[in-house]
Amino acid sequence: MTLLSTSTDQLTTLGAGLRRALDGPFADKRAAARAAFPSDNLLRDPDLSIDDAREWVLNRLIEISEAGVLATGVPQSSEDPGNIADTVVAFETLAHGDLSATIKSGVQLGLFGGAVTNLGTKWHHDTFLADISSLKLLGCYGMTELGHGSDVFSLETTITFIPETDEFEVHSETQGATKAYIGNAAKHGTMAVVFGQLLVRGRNYGVHAILVPIRDDDHTVLPGVTIGDQGHKGGLLGVDNGTMRFHRVRVPRRMLLDRYGGVTEAGEYASSIESPTKRFFTMLSTLVRGRICVSAGAGIAARRGLSIATRYALKRRQFVAPGHSEGVLLADYLIHQRRLLPLIARSYALGFAQNEVTSSLVHVMESGQASEEEKRQLQTRADGIKALTTRFANDAVQEAREACGGAGYLSENQLTGIRADVDVFATFEGDNTVLLQQVAKALLGDYAKIWGELDTAGMVQATARVFGDTVMERTSASTLVERLTATVKRQPEATTLVDRGWHAWMFTERERHSLESLARRARKAGKKFDALNQLGDHMLFVAKAHMERIVLEAFIAAIDATEPGEVREVLERLCSLYALSSIQADRGWFADHGKMSAGRGKAIGAQINALCAELRPDALSLVEGFGIPESWLGAAILED
Ligand SMILES: Cc1cc2nc3c(=O)[nH]c(=O)nc-3n(C[C@H](O)[C@H](O)[C@H](O)COP(=O)(O)OP(=O)(O)OC[C@H]3O[C@@H](n4cnc5c(N)ncnc54)[C@H](O)[C@@H]3O)c2cc1C
């Protein structure tokens, strides 16, 4: 086996090739970030007290900052455009180590710094960004309230303009208006971006964000601000989450982050966006990077778990058997392969989709030429990939933990820590269920727009067009997929089970059929809550079906971009394993809707077994492709 050396580890030729393919368009940036990432002090001692864990995490961030990795790409002033791809890569690089440090960096640079960058204007940028990037000014992102988490449109905190003093008054009238779960609030933050309803001369202009100092230079909490420490949590113990309440706290007018709306010197409200709803969603859309980063971080957490379990399976023997006198390697049990390899395949699939979403983020935020449609599509895909990847990370890390048996349960092997930390990724930056509903609503929007006032006959005619023109024409692999499915759709079952055209056709059919029936049901339901409420599970199915297709198409595009050879062959097998696992999971749906015969459905299991056997010899290279040096995993069970 050929071993190649990188600046951080040694790996097989196949592993290096897979890594290059998975790193995709960000290969150079990722290699540079890995090389610069300080890896001596990567993982936190789980025995540290909460106070010590918080201090350790802050010091770790300072260390990473000094190594030049932390704020890579974050703008330093209004003159500095920043670099979006660098910020995403920096965040995901941090996810190779302590996840509290990753999330604290996300709060500081992505949320607090991101709000100042995207919602603020020149004065805010020039005054605060350099200190935010260098960690001199530590801050919070105060959006969630006790009363309003997913429904942030209804926040209760008020930001009232006081014309007499040219100030704003920030106030939490009710207990429900208390800001909750806020990172950096309990201990380290000295300033917060606070979201609340903007009231100017008696009129409510909807949710806006304002900078509010919360502690002075001596770290004493400022008058009018009440801070609570939310203490011990299910994970992320190194992040100081807390509550914040404001009692008529005054700040100067210029502290309002007024890129999308503010109060003029004459004391009048002004905004380039008339509708408060549109203004609010425009503001939120500029913060989409946070969601994409959380997804990227969860993807890395899953890869860490799967790397530990796979490397352990290649060492650990249980039960002697004929021809295996020292005992059978866990990796040689088919059932063990069935547990880990489909998850590894899905990790690759989600990684390729993540690369595509990151590329469209870069296009939307940096080109200045993105259409409204591209912006909307980015939002939908960011919501979807975050929901899929964080769900996957939770499942994969748990499976990895169990795949290591009792050893997996020891903290020294990292899996329980990763699992505890990644749990809440499913909730913050948008609860997954709510995000999937948003994905489905966005897809339904296309139908509502085109169906408009059409009668039933017109609707039927327009339906095929909506899916073909708007939903389908949206990935870089569209043309390729059209070619692959062209012949398959006439006789889908005449293909082999590893025919990519058949996979693409099944994924497309699952999405098209479920989306069209949802659209019809939604039209019938109109605006009636009870009727719409009945559509909940159907909406989640559609959102997942849509995202699974997007993920498959990203995989197809990545294979297409890979030179013929061993790496491409392995990617083909992984892609088939991903596609068949997804079809098998919805086997009942495909059968119920006449999309797959019983015989074909049964044959999928045997095909998955065959793919696992083919991939087994490459198990080590597959996890090397994840880009995590073995020494970074920090699992005692992997030491000789
Ligand atoms: C560790 C941690 C750190 C955080 N950091 C920050 C931070 O720094 N700043 C910040 O502003 N916020 C932060 N948050 C808050 C986080 O963003 C919210 O917890 C999240 O948005 C969900 O809101 P919620 O907790 O109020 O849950 P809810 O909105 O009450 O949701 C509870 C459940 O109800 C379901 N649900 C809600 N609405 C619907 C619906 N319409 N249909 C069907 N089901 C629904 C959800 O799926 C969920 O399962 C943090 C949270 C945690 C736990």
Side-chain angles (χ1 to χ4, degrees):
M1 186 184 288
T2 318
L3 288 177
L4 300 178
S5 276
T6 71
S7 55
T8 44
D9 59 340
Q10 277 210 321
L11 61 167
T12 58
T13 315
L14 177 59
L18 288 168
R19 184 176 295 189
R20 243 188 329 273
L22 186 55
D23 282 346
F26 307 106
D28 292 346
K29 288 183 187 299
R30 284 174 170 148
R34 276 181 206 119
F37 190 44
S39 57
D40 286 348
N41 190 23
L42 205 59
L43 302 165
R44 181 168 39 94
D45 178 352
D47 280 339
L48 291 182
S49 66
I50 291 187
D51 283 345
D52 289 347
R54 289 171 172 179
E55 289 316 304
W56 184 92
V57 166
L58 183 57
N59 288 329
R60 172 71 182 151
L61 282 193
I62 293 167
E63 185 179 276
I64 299 170
S65 175
E66 284 166 358
V69 180
L70 187 70
T72 319
V74 176
Q76 310 283 308
S77 70
S78 56
E79 308 300 317
D80 177 3
N83 182 304
I84 297 285
D86 284 346
T87 61
V88 178
V89 169
F91 183 88
E92 69 177 28
T93 304
L94 261 65
H96 291 88
D98 176 58
L99 287 170
S100 287
T102 316
I103 293 306
K104 196 168 173 90
S105 86
V107 168
Q108 170 68 13
L109 301 171
L111 296 178
F112 177 55
V116 173
T117 306
N118 294 303
L119 304 180
T121 45
K122 187 175 181 334
W123 179 78
H124 308 107
H125 298 164
D126 293 341
T127 311
F128 300 113
L129 283 181
D131 286 349
I132 292 174
S133 299
S134 67
L135 305 182
K136 204 168 144 201
L137 173 64
L138 293 176
C140 315
Y141 179 83
M143 182 176 270
T144 306
E145 296 176 351
L146 282 179
H148 306 276
S150 299
D151 177 17
V152 285
F153 194 68
S154 312
L155 293 177
E156 283 182 70
T157 301
T158 48
I159 304 168
T160 308
F161 180 57
I162 311 292
E164 294 74 23
T165 55
D166 203 24
E167 290 175 307
F168 285 106
E169 183 182 271
V170 181
H171 184 58
S172 338
E173 177 68 29
T174 62
Q175 174 71 4
T178 306
K179 297 291 174 188
Y181 318 107
I182 310 301
N184 261 347
K187 195 94 187 163
H188 296 133
T190 53
M191 189 177 274
V193 170
V194 177
F195 288 81
Q197 307 290 344
L198 183 72
L199 304 174
V200 182
R201 300 183 193 279
R203 187 165 159 197
N204 185 348
Y205 289 92
V207 173
H208 285 64
I210 190 163
L211 286 164
V212 183
I214 55 171
R215 290 186 174 90
D216 65 15
D217 292 344
D218 298 326
H219 236 65
T220 307
V221 175
L222 289 166
V225 182
T226 306
I227 290 190
D229 188 332
Q230 292 185 296
H232 198 279
K233 306 188 291 287
L236 298 178
L237 289 190
V239 185
D240 51 325
N241 293 94
T243 57
M244 296 189 295
R245 230 179 136 163
F246 303 95
H247 185 76
R248 305 201 182 286
V249 174
R250 295 283 182 100
V251 287
R253 179 169 55 89
R254 66 186 180 183
M255 296 295 264
L256 189 77
L257 297 173
D258 57 353
R259 177 169 168 196
Y260 294 103
V263 173
T264 63
E265 276 183 29
E268 299 299 331
Y269 181 77
S271 168
S272 53
I273 308 173
E274 187 113 349
S275 145
T277 313
K278 187 160 183 232
R279 189 161 52 232
F280 176 65
F281 286 107
T282 305
M283 284 168 67
L284 287 192
S285 72
T286 66
L287 306 173
V288 65
R289 185 185 70 198
R291 204 158 277 168
I292 293 170
C293 283
V294 164
S295 172
I300 300 292
R303 292 181 201 177
R304 286 168 63 192
L306 292 170
S307 296
I308 294 170
T310 304
R311 287 173 185 273
Y312 183 61
L314 291 167
K315 293 177 60 160
R316 171 78 170 166
R317 295 177 185 275
Q318 281 295 282
F319 298 102
V320 287
H324 299 263
S325 53
E326 291 173 61
V328 179
L329 274 178
L330 294 184
D332 286 329
Y333 286 108
L334 177 61
I335 195 66
H336 211 73
Q337 295 163 13
R338 286 283 299 251
R339 291 170 74 181
L340 296 179
L341 291 171
L343 295 174
I344 289 174
R346 194 169 176 79
S347 250
Y348 274 85
L350 290 168
F352 291 127
Q354 180 76 34
N355 287 348
E356 289 214 344
V357 177
T358 307
S359 295
S360 37
L361 174 75
V362 172
H363 171 65
V364 167
M365 303 294 265
E366 288 181 358
S367 73
Q369 291 177 348
S371 63
E372 283 309 307
E373 173 55 18
E374 283 171 324
K375 289 181 192 165
R376 219 163 55 87
Q377 182 182 299
L378 171 66
Q379 198 69 44
T380 305
R381 297 218 179 136
D383 293 351
I385 197 77
K386 188 271 181 187
L388 248 58
T389 307
T390 57
R391 170 77 266 145
F392 168 70
N394 272 283
D395 296 342
V397 175
Q398 177 63 22
E399 192 62 52
R401 202 298 288 152
E402 292 176 35
C404 293
Y409 200 61
L410 300 186
S411 298
E412 65 176 17
N413 291 319
Q414 305 303 332
L415 292 160
T416 50
I418 299 173
R419 189 188 56 195
D421 289 343
V422 87
D423 177 335
V424 74
F425 281 48
T427 297
F428 58 32
E429 273 295 338
D431 168 85
N432 282 358
T433 302
V434 175
L435 290 182
L436 288 173
Q437 285 175 328
Q438 280 171 204
V439 171
K441 278 184 197 158
L443 299 175
L444 284 175
D446 293 330
Y447 285 82
K449 238 187 308 168
I450 294 186
W451 281 354
E453 300 299 313
L454 293 176
D455 60 13
T456 310
M459 252 172 65
V460 172
Q461 275 181 354
T463 301
R465 193 158 50 84
V466 187
F467 191 75
D469 290 357
T470 63
V471 181
M472 276 303 284
E473 291 293 314
R474 286 177 178 178
T475 79
S476 56
S478 294
T479 318
L480 183 56
V481 167
E482 211 169 291
R483 191 153 42 78
L484 287 170
T485 54
T487 48
V488 171
K489 58 186 167 196
R490 272 180 247 128
Q491 261 191 304
E493 302 231 342
T495 59
T496 67
L497 285 171
V498 290
D499 186 301
R500 195 72 65 234
W502 182 66
H503 300 153
W505 178 244
M506 293 292 273
F507 277 52
T508 304
E509 278 300 280
R510 176 171 57 185
E511 179 183 356
R512 186 193 58 74
H513 188 112
S514 60
L515 176 55
E516 286 174 4
S517 61
L518 176 66
R520 280 193 295 276
R521 290 181 72 195
R523 183 174 158 110
K524 222 180 198 171
K527 295 200 183 311
K528 294 191 283 288
F529 174 78
D530 287 343
L532 281 172
N533 203 21
Q534 298 302 316
L535 307 183
D537 59 335
H538 197 156
M539 287 178 87
L540 297 192
F541 186 88
V542 165
K544 286 185 211 157
H546 173 71
M547 286 310 300
E548 290 283 290
R549 179 180 64 79
I550 299 295
V551 171
L552 177 68
E553 293 191 9
F555 209 145
I556 291 173
I559 293 174
D560 193 50
T562 307
E563 296 289 315
E566 194 187 14
V567 172
R568 186 169 166 143
E569 283 164 24
V570 171
L571 290 178
E572 292 278 15
R573 285 184 200 117
L574 285 170
C575 188
S576 293
L577 187 53
Y578 159 67
L580 289 176
S581 304
S582 175
I583 294 171
Q584 195 184 43
D586 281 338
R587 200 174 133 190
W589 185 91
F590 284 111
D592 290 350
H593 294 82
K595 310 281 180 200
M596 187 167 65
S597 66
R600 200 160 169 92
K602 273 191 207 144
I604 288 180
Q607 185 64 61
I608 288 177
N609 285 349
L611 284 165
C612 285
E614 286 170 34
L615 285 165
R616 156 69 185 93
D618 299 326
L620 177 63
S621 302
L622 296 181
V623 294
E624 284 178 344
F626 285 163
I628 312 170
E630 183 173 3
S631 59
W632 289 13
L633 294 172
I637 38 171
L638 300 182
E639 285 163 16
D640 288 330

